[in-house]
Amino acid sequence: MSYTIEGSTGTWEIVVGLEVHAQVISNSKLFSGAATAFGAAPNSQVSFVDAAFPGMLPVINQECVAQAVRTGLGLNARINLWSRFDRKNYFYADLPAGYQISQFAHPIIGTGEIEIELADGSTRTIGVTRLHLEQDAGKSLHDQDPSRSFIDLNRAGVALMEIVSEPDIRTPEEAGAYLRKLRTILRYLGTCDGNMEEGSMRADVNVSVRHAGEEFRTRCEVKNVNSIRFVMQAIEAEAKRQVELWESGGEVRQETRLYDPGRGETRSMRSKEDAHDYRYFPDPDLPPLIIEQAWVEELRAGLPELPDAKRARLMRQYGLPAYDAGVLVAEQAIADFYETVAAGRDGRLAGNWVTGDLFAALNRTGKDIATSPVSAQALGGLLDLMADGTINGRIAKEVFEAMVETGGAAADIVEAKGLRQVTDTGAIDEAVAQVLAAHADKLAEYRAGKDKLFGFFVGQVMKAMAGKGNPALVNETLKKHLG
Amino acid sequence: MSLDAAMVRRIASLSRIRIEDAEVPRLQAELSAILGWIEQLNEVDVHGVEPLAGASAVALRARADVITDGGIAEQVLANAPDRVGEFFTVPKVVE
């Protein structure tokens, strides 16, 4: 879907690249044995390495390297068997060493790609430039005291993967789709929990604008945006600002900006103006990181089925439409739930129930798939009752609502409420006769050629039978009586 | 290559080292001399020689992903000049 900005000098398109910082799931930090768990007491998960005491040596965590390699494999990216750590020098109170250990010239992961799906059903491939490992900084709290900032170093030294995209993104929607897809892949891989509220996934957004066919113009970097919605809003706001600036005769300066969601605008971070001179150099404490191809293959063999592969398989195996399959694979737990429901049953019908009635019920009750009031087995039981003719589709909706409310099994609810479908032709004959007798006028109209009234009669018969009539038999019997 | 006075001040500022105006000419000369020496090294023909960041040939040693450290807030905070509770504090830095 194209997205452009109409200015006074013509049509502008936007160019966006994303840098995502994804916190690695590991027990201990990248270069120290301190714990990584979120929410611990201040400075309780800090070693002397993390606090940059003199003479402390960093030792790399093998699992963090494995997580980066798994992520690289999940992004179909090149795995660099030789990589190196550099020091990125800058001063900030929550960076005790005065430098961040990062990978600048030689990242562990090279070019890869992510396929995104858009609302109109189209797909696009967004290039991934690189992924590198680096340390997170500590946390500054500015609202505890009027004149001081408080520093908690628990997060300092936790492993991050910085995942950099090519400037391939052209619309806010694509940026949102890229982040959602990346988050899904990371969650499938188990390499990052993707929780943006807790800050375990954060995005820096590079935005520029240009007329179609032009070279790239100067970009600005909007730092530390912490939700997908804000990323999309920040792109719109920043692109508009740049178009206005260019068109009023000004020039966009390369700079770091912040997005203010309250005001819906970006503003300059003046303090960062001088900070781009990071004076990178190879970290003398850390020899090159060398990994074996055999180990990479071992990690590859242990990867789970990833979203794209799973979506293709669900379409093939259960005859699902692409859209439904895409919705179901967005979370592993939903896909697992679906497959439990679909196993040995009508896959399309199972898909409709999960994405339709179940999602609506979860929404309404504020639950998620893990706490669903109706289990996958229970929903399967309901589908079985429809398949064997015990209940019809309309009654199934009623039974489902009762299941949501009580957590009971479908069969028990059908028995207790007497909802079993009526297939006794005598009872149906009787109901049809009653309805026709009660609506002699409509019957006359029907016989005079008003065919559309057939639906009316079906409705009335079902109503007379409290919804429990077998729809096929009701139709058949009506036709017989009317014909 | 010789550095001008503005560059000397910028390097000092990036390093958070305060220098007095009177010190600038001396530092300018010293730093320029260091760069001159590096320039001499640049004259060495390193064609076909792999860049080397460290003198030892060993690869990085790794550790298992086990929690073996932390829980020493008191020691970590022991030298903090102005701690409040379990936090370090610094003069307010806000964007």
Side-chain angles (χ1 to χ4, degrees):
Chain A
M1 248 175 261
S2 83
Y3 175 93
T4 51
I5 297 172
E6 292 304 323
S8 56
T9 61
T11 302
W12 297 80
E13 70 171 13
I14 62 172
V15 177
V16 174
L18 293 170
E19 290 169 25
V20 172
H21 290 90
Q23 200 178 92
V24 173
I25 294 177
S26 64
N27 297 316
S28 62
K29 295 182 180 181
L30 181 56
F31 291 112
S32 89
T36 58
F38 182 78
N43 290 308
S44 65
Q45 297 179 164
V46 181
S47 76
F48 291 142
V49 175
D50 309 319
F53 276 43
M56 304 312 296
L57 275 178
V59 184
I60 199 163
N61 180 339
Q62 184 76 33
E63 175 63 11
C64 294
V65 179
Q67 293 287 53
V69 171
R70 287 185 189 106
T71 307
L73 293 170
L75 301 175
N76 297 312
R78 203 184 64 223
I79 312 298
N80 294 324
L81 300 180
W82 191 100
S83 65
R84 192 182 70 198
F85 288 93
D86 301 286
R87 290 186 180 179
K88 177 179 179 176
N89 299 281
Y90 66 94
F91 278 93
Y92 203 74
D94 54 25
L95 184 77
Y99 60 84
Q100 176 193 35
I101 303 178
S102 182
Q103 296 189 300
F104 181 60
H106 300 280
I108 184 163
I109 307 294
T111 53
E113 58 187 37
I114 294 181
E115 188 178 284
I116 58 170
E117 294 103 46
L118 301 169
D120 65 1
S122 65
T123 60
R124 274 200 71 200
T125 301
I126 306 296
V128 171
T129 312
R130 59 185 280 162
L131 176 156
H132 67 252
L133 277 169
E134 63 184 24
Q135 297 174 301
D136 206 346
K139 196 173 156 68
S140 302
L141 292 91
H142 302 297
D143 54 1
Q144 306 288 308
D145 185 283
S147 61
R148 292 176 292 187
S149 292
F150 287 22
I151 309 292
D152 173 9
L153 296 180
N154 280 348
R155 215 179 54 190
V158 170
L160 295 179
M161 297 178 283
E162 180 171 326
I163 304 163
V164 183
S165 88
E166 292 288 317
D168 288 346
I169 294 164
R170 292 289 173 277
T171 73
E173 187 203 356
E174 287 177 7
Y178 173 89
L179 288 170
R180 274 192 298 274
K181 186 61 176 285
L182 176 58
R183 185 171 63 182
T184 299
I185 293 171
L186 295 172
R187 284 177 171 167
Y188 267 67
L189 290 166
T191 58
C192 169
D193 68 22
N195 189 333
M196 292 186 89
E197 292 75 47
E198 288 179 4
S200 43
M201 191 170 135
R202 319 190 276 275
D204 297 343
V205 191
N206 287 294
V207 183
S208 65
V209 297
R210 65 173 177 184
H211 290 303
E214 276 183 357
E215 296 291 302
F216 293 144
R217 296 193 181 207
T218 309
R219 64 186 160 85
C220 289
E221 181 181 17
V222 187
K223 274 260 181 221
N224 261 329
V225 190
N226 64 3
S227 86
I228 291 174
R229 194 160 51 94
F230 288 163
V231 167
M232 295 166 70
Q233 290 173 6
I235 291 169
E236 281 191 51
E238 177 58 16
K240 262 189 207 123
R241 184 189 73 87
Q242 291 183 13
V243 166
E244 279 164 23
L245 194 54
W246 286 119
E247 295 202 327
S248 64
E251 194 164 320
V252 172
R253 246 173 0 114
Q254 185 165 342
E255 61 176 353
T256 306
R257 301 179 68 84
L258 277 180
Y259 179 63
D260 180 340
R263 314 177 90 165
E265 61 187 30
T266 67
R267 60 184 160 84
S268 184
M269 275 173 90
R270 282 185 188 80
S271 63
K272 289 271 180 183
E273 270 175 21
D274 208 31
H276 281 291
D277 194 346
Y278 289 126
R279 293 150 295 146
Y280 284 99
F281 63 88
D283 191 313
D285 288 339
L286 295 163
L289 172 58
I290 296 169
I291 57 177
E292 303 286 336
Q293 187 64 41
W295 184 59
V296 173
E297 294 313 319
E298 208 175 292
L299 293 171
R300 191 196 304 275
L303 293 185
E305 183 183 31
L306 290 168
D308 289 342
K310 194 186 279 283
R311 189 180 53 148
R313 182 176 60 77
L314 292 188
M315 290 169 66
R316 203 171 54 236
Q317 188 173 339
Y318 300 101
L320 283 176
Y323 179 80
D324 291 22
V327 170
L328 291 168
V329 303
E331 279 180 47
Q332 227 161 2
I334 292 174
D336 290 348
F337 188 103
Y338 166 75
E339 288 208 75
T340 306
V341 178
R345 303 192 177 96
D346 179 337
R348 262 177 185 260
L349 187 66
N352 289 340
W353 275 88
V354 172
T355 59
D357 299 80
L358 180 75
F359 280 8
L362 294 179
N363 241 332
R364 204 173 56 237
T365 54
K367 300 263 171 81
D368 62 24
I369 200 78
T371 57
S372 170
V374 178
S375 71
Q377 286 77 8
L379 182 54
L382 179 65
L383 264 59
D384 288 341
L385 293 182
M386 279 191 280
D388 69 11
T390 305
I391 55 172
N392 64 36
R394 187 167 357 166
I395 292 295
K397 305 259 177 198
E398 189 182 331
V399 175
F400 180 76
E401 292 312 318
M403 292 167 77
V404 171
E405 217 161 283
T406 65
D412 297 343
I413 291 166
V414 168
E415 283 314 317
K417 293 193 164 188
L419 296 173
R420 200 169 264 280
Q421 173 165 254
V422 177
T423 50
D424 170 2
T425 47
I428 295 174
D429 270 332
E430 198 177 311
V432 168
Q434 266 175 24
V435 165
L436 294 183
H439 299 281
D441 50 338
K442 292 279 198 306
L443 182 58
E445 284 178 47
Y446 179 83
R447 295 229 154 103
K450 207 166 169 192
D451 291 351
K452 276 193 287 187
L453 282 170
F454 188 77
F456 166 79
F457 289 122
V458 172
Q460 290 300 314
V461 173
M462 286 304 259
K463 194 170 156 194
M465 303 185 70
K468 291 183 286 185
N470 175 306
L473 288 175
V474 167
N475 269 292
E476 198 182 300
T477 311
L478 257 173
K479 269 183 195 144
K480 202 171 65 198
H481 281 254
L482 290 168
Chain B
M1 181 184 171
S2 78
L3 295 172
D4 61 19
M7 182 56 83
V8 170
R9 287 200 185 88
R10 179 167 155 77
I11 292 167
S13 153
L14 283 170
S15 314
R16 296 299 188 275
I17 295 172
R18 194 174 85 174
I19 54 173
E20 306 299 337
D21 286 346
E23 294 175 280
V24 172
R26 180 177 59 80
L27 286 166
Q28 202 177 332
E30 270 181 24
L31 291 172
S32 295
I34 292 169
L35 287 176
W37 188 71
I38 301 287
E39 268 167 7
Q40 276 185 52
L41 289 180
N42 280 343
E43 287 166 22
V44 179
D45 180 9
V46 291
H47 192 78
V49 180
E50 283 284 307
L52 186 67
S56 83
V58 295
L60 196 54
R61 295 247 309 265
R63 37 168 258 279
D65 182 27
V66 180
I67 299 166
T68 56
D69 211 335
I72 49 168
E74 280 310 313
Q75 293 175 63
V76 165
L77 288 158
N79 298 322
D82 185 27
R83 67 180 275 190
V84 172
E86 304 290 282
F87 289 101
F88 296 92
T89 74
V90 295
K92 196 154 202 150
V93 271
V94 196
E95 284 305 330

